[in-house]
Amino acid sequence: QLPDLPEPLGFAGALSGGCDDKLVFAGGSNFPFPTWTSTKHFDDRVWTLGGDISWTWELSSVVLPAPTAYAACGSISGQVVCAGGQTPDGIINNTFAIPCDLTALRPLPSMPVPTAFASSAVLGGELWVLGGDTGTGPNATTNVWVLDAQLSQWRAGPPLPTARKLSLA
């Protein structure tokens, strides 16, 4: 059994991915006590769960550009790429990479449209971001965005047949 994150409330919508022999777990949101009657808290910390024999959580000195949750994430070429999400100020289009060696975050081109609560998958070294919520118009979208991490550019993918958010890819 893996150890619990050393944060008693836990986090929803954390940014995560596999990196070398460890799990990267960053950001997320929760409601401090008294739960559900307090203001939602967004986190900016980056944790790793090492793959060595001890399997212990370590808090990194690297922090997210802003407290963020609900971003689309995928592991590509020794980094966890994170796109969009939600901060205390609303839905964002920021994109960045958390390198496996936990040196400084690497900024990437912003998503064409602010998006949170999307599904994501890595295919052929590209991050596919499917559906989600843009914070405008309908509650969910049919948008598909594809980030070529090597070329550092976004392109539109084929739209989903129906609007989706909070689904699995």
Side-chain angles (χ1 to χ4, degrees), residues 18-114:
C19 235
D20 293 337
D21 65 344
K22 59 186 166 269
L23 171 69
V24 173
F25 184 95
S29 68
N30 60 29
F31 287 90
F33 291 112
T35 308
W36 302 113
T37 60
S38 58
T39 302
K40 189 178 213 177
H41 165 77
F42 289 82
D43 203 77
D44 65 355
R45 294 177 293 175
V46 177
W47 296 85
T48 60
L49 180 62
D52 60 8
I53 294 172
S54 66
W55 284 98
T56 57
W57 285 102
E58 292 184 23
L59 181 60
S60 171
S61 61
V62 172
V63 294
L64 299 179
T68 306
Y70 313 111
C73 302
S75 299
I76 303 173
S77 302
Q79 58 192 356
V80 178
V81 176
C82 304
Q86 185 180 30
T87 70
D89 296 324
I91 295 175
I92 60 172
N93 65 345
N94 298 3
T95 305
F96 57 89
I98 305 171
C100 291
D101 63 6
L102 295 178
T103 55
L105 300 181
R106 185 169 72 92
L108 292 167
S110 294
M111 291 186 70
V113 176

